[in-house]
Amino acid sequence: MTQDDLLTRAQAWLAEDPDAETREELARLIEAGATDELAARFAGTLQFGTAGLRGELGAGPMRMNRSVVIRAAAGLAAYLKAEGRTGGLVVIGYDARYKSADFARDTAAVMTGAGLRAALLPRPLPTPVLAYAIRHLGAVAGVEVTASHNPPRDNGYKVYLGDGSQIVPPADAGIAAEIDAVRSLHDVPRPESGWETLGDEVLDAYLERTDAVLTSGSPRTARTVYTAMHGVGKDVLTAAFARAGFPPPALVAAQAEPDPAFPTVAFPNPEEPGAMDLAFEAARAVDPDLVIANDPDADRCAVAVPDAAAEGGWRMLRGDEVGALLAAHLVHKGATGVFAESIVSSSLLGRIAEAAGVGYEETLTGFKWIARVDGLRYGYEEALGYCVDPEGVRDKDGITAALLVTELASVLKEQGRTLTDLLDDLAVAHGLHATDQLSVRVEDLGIIANAMAALRERPPASLAGLTVVSAEDLTKGTESLPPTDGLRYHLEGAYRARVIVRPSGTEPKLKCYLEVVVPVGHGSELATARAKGAEVLAAIKRDLAEAAGL
């Protein structure tokens, strides 16, 4: 693109931009002749895919802004009409990030102008409330404006169809094609009114539904510390806990209220280093049975437990550990149906399902796939996502997961036991499934492409002294999985292990998921098994990083 072409594109965008803030931003860049910055913003367009849209806020087609959102909404409306959904209801939710309410209102206006009916949730609410509302209201689609646990400068646009699940191919490509067909924002009708703003009826119905995950008469004694991570989870989670009869969670006050600046954390993600420090500080003050955290849109749930050996006396459970605990609890409650997880999650779920005689299925990464499993009763993903009530919410839900894990902690407390004790039982029964992750955040996406290319061109023959017995390029798909950008290795030797490498779908990260299974004959062997598992995982991580050129 020549400099003249770049300026022409920028000025055309400026002429259409409905937002005074981004107009001013873009005008300053044009006036300053900031060619490099303009080139970055006009190098293409944010691509709409199965994760919808997600990106940094700012002016231009490579940023998240009202112009991009209006085009996305127009494309979704055109797709729905082409699918025969004219006049159908689209329900729209949003979190408390910068611009989320604006993007939600723009979406409602576009849907109304296109001849669809639109309903806005009454205020910033957890993503699972939107996922629930779609089916509860009989909507043909839903939109959630959120960037989940991304940095403060980001926002996003997540699309669900009428089954209450996130979109998958070919719907994403169909919507993207309709977005590309939008020539000018002046062609997109956006009336000033005509949509509905819902009251609390949907939220009340969701809260009533949360009772379904608990067993009538079960113990409700576990005491918790809770952080909303500056997001929208606090009011809904505390209301759900009150309905259930659990002790009121002790709140991490500095992180309790929505704040789009996320001032106390580097990244508003419970998995990130330091994000849970304030929660652990609160836990040391009140001595609860467990610590619970939601991410900012409350679709994920993190759990920490007392651990005298851990720095500060508290240990975050890995997503795979919580996934196994919830599965074991559901089995104990007599759950039937299919247990499902994505390929990056621990194979322990398969062992638990097999022993319990329930169905088991593996899917590609993301709840857009997990939620579509036939007969699903429970699904989880290692990135702190749990679907414990698929009839209510066909997506991950950090509120109902928090209820269920607190019920489990209460049951164990009545027996004089803890979540850690149950994890020990599972390790003895099925082997210690030790997991870890090598996650590399990059500024230059070329680093990820180069790492994937290096592994494809020169696949490792062994990692940590374990032989790579199979190396699958998942772009070709498998008998049970559609194609995806990823690599999977199975290793054998002194222990069985598995490695999956994939670019993140929502962040500039290369993610490598590691698992090693160490046999355990007796509880007395657990400490040795954990040490060996950690040693092998560290060696796999080191060798894999070297093979990928990281």
Side-chain angles (χ1 to χ4, degrees):
M1 195 188 321
T2 67
Q3 189 166 344
D4 286 347
D5 289 340
L6 179 60
L7 287 173
T8 299
R9 281 198 70 190
Q11 286 161 346
W13 187 273
L14 180 65
E16 287 191 347
D17 192 338
D19 189 308
E21 189 177 332
T22 46
R23 277 201 314 273
E24 182 182 341
E25 178 186 319
L26 185 53
R28 283 199 310 268
L29 292 172
I30 293 171
E31 185 178 348
T35 307
D36 289 349
E37 182 62 24
L38 287 169
R41 291 166 182 249
F42 287 86
T45 59
L46 280 184
Q47 291 302 299
F48 187 93
T50 54
L53 295 168
R54 198 175 288 190
E56 186 176 347
L57 289 163
M62 289 294 289
R63 299 287 186 268
M64 281 296 295
N65 51 65
R66 290 182 62 198
S67 297
V68 164
V69 164
I70 290 166
R71 289 174 181 272
L76 173 59
Y79 173 82
L80 292 171
K81 290 168 73 174
E83 293 288 307
R85 304 298 188 182
T86 300
L89 174 67
V90 178
V91 61
I92 303 148
Y94 55 103
D95 66 11
R97 284 178 177 266
Y98 296 118
K99 297 290 185 182
S100 286
D102 295 335
F103 295 167
R105 281 193 296 270
D106 281 332
T107 300
V110 171
M111 295 301 159
T112 302
L116 291 145
R117 293 181 296 124
L120 278 172
L121 292 185
R123 57 186 173 279
L125 287 167
T127 292
V129 177
L130 179 277
Y132 170 81
I134 294 166
R135 297 177 72 211
H136 178 70
L137 297 174
V140 298
V143 172
E144 177 70 16
V145 180
T146 181
S148 189
H149 55 278
N150 276 39
R153 65 180 182 270
D154 289 0
N155 213 327
Y157 199 80
K158 185 184 293 189
V159 175
Y160 299 74
L161 293 182
D163 63 355
S165 300
Q166 297 176 50
I167 57 169
V168 294
D172 58 337
I175 296 167
E178 296 287 2
I179 294 171
D180 290 343
V182 178
R183 291 288 164 248
S184 169
L185 292 193
H186 299 312
D187 299 333
V188 181
R190 284 183 292 131
E192 293 293 320
S193 61
W195 57 88
E196 178 184 4
T197 299
L198 298 166
D200 279 346
E201 298 83 7
V202 170
L203 176 59
D204 292 342
Y206 167 82
L207 285 169
E208 187 174 343
R209 177 76 203 183
T210 61
D211 296 348
V213 306
L214 303 175
T215 300
S216 178
S218 64
R220 311 283 166 93
T221 55
R223 296 168 53 252
T224 58
V225 160
Y226 171 71
T227 175
M229 206 67 66
H230 298 296
V232 298
K234 187 230 347 172
D235 289 347
V236 179
L237 182 131
T238 54
F241 270 53
R243 285 182 61 94
F246 289 114
L251 301 179
V252 179
Q255 298 175 334
E257 300 303 327
D259 187 336
F262 304 109
T264 68
V265 292
F267 291 95
N269 179 352
E271 293 179 297
E272 293 283 350
M276 294 290 288
D277 286 355
L278 290 179
F280 294 159
E281 184 180 314
R284 287 190 289 273
V286 301
D287 192 27
D289 298 297
L290 68 165
V291 172
I292 290 174
N294 286 139
D295 65 339
D297 69 325
D299 63 350
R300 298 169 194 253
C301 177
V303 179
V305 295
D307 185 343
E311 184 178 350
W314 284 83
R315 178 174 77 88
M316 270 277 287
L317 296 182
R318 303 191 69 85
D320 285 319
E321 291 177 305
V322 178
L325 287 169
L326 293 177
H329 187 40
L330 288 168
V331 165
H332 183 73
K333 286 155 71 86
T336 59
V338 178
F339 286 14
E341 63 180 342
S342 63
I343 56 173
V344 300
S345 305
S346 171
S347 60
L348 176 56
L349 183 68
R351 306 289 81 75
I352 293 170
E354 182 181 18
V358 300
Y360 170 74
E361 192 163 327
E362 234 181 12
T363 74
L364 291 184
T365 308
F367 272 81
K368 57 185 174 282
W369 299 109
I370 293 170
R372 285 182 159 76
V373 168
D374 285 343
L376 180 68
R377 175 58 187 87
Y378 168 63
Y380 99 91
E381 191 156 65
E382 59 77 42
L384 310 183
Y386 314 96
C387 175
V388 301
D389 178 26
E391 289 304 306
V393 175
R394 293 192 179 181
D395 199 2
K396 55 186 177 291
D397 182 346
I399 305 297
T400 50
L403 286 170
L404 194 61
V405 78
T406 307
E407 179 186 56
L408 172 58
S410 300
V411 170
L412 293 168
K413 185 177 182 178
E414 296 293 299
Q415 301 168 358
R417 307 178 74 237
T418 66
L419 296 177
T420 305
D421 293 330
L422 181 53
L423 285 171
D424 289 349
D425 293 348
L426 292 172
V428 172
H430 305 291
L432 177 71
H433 288 62
T435 61
D436 200 357
Q437 194 179 122
L438 171 63
S439 181
V440 182
R441 185 182 293 272
V442 301
E443 293 290 334
D444 177 8
L445 291 177
I447 294 171
I448 294 176
N450 291 340
M452 295 297 289
L455 290 170
R456 286 190 168 105
E457 292 165 11
R458 299 177 299 279
S462 67
L463 296 168
L466 303 177
T467 302
V468 176
V469 293
S470 71
E472 299 170 279
D473 186 342
L474 299 176
T475 55
K476 301 170 183 175
T478 71
E479 285 186 10
S480 58
L481 298 171
T484 189
D485 186 9
L487 300 164
R488 178 164 62 180
Y489 307 115
H490 285 100
L491 300 90
E492 291 185 4
Y495 307 100
R496 287 187 296 111
R498 184 217 64 200
V499 174
I500 292 173
V501 184
R502 60 179 282 272
S504 170
T506 55
E507 298 179 88
K509 282 183 175 181
L510 180 68
K511 303 186 85 170
C512 310
Y513 305 86
L514 323 175
E515 178 180 59
V516 60
V517 182
V518 181
V520 179
H522 187 270
S524 61
E525 301 172 11
L526 277 167
T528 302
R530 288 202 170 92
K532 178 54 69 175
E535 175 189 322
V536 175
L537 287 171
I540 292 174
K541 192 183 293 189
R542 182 194 64 233
D543 292 354
L544 183 64
E546 182 179 342
L550 297 171

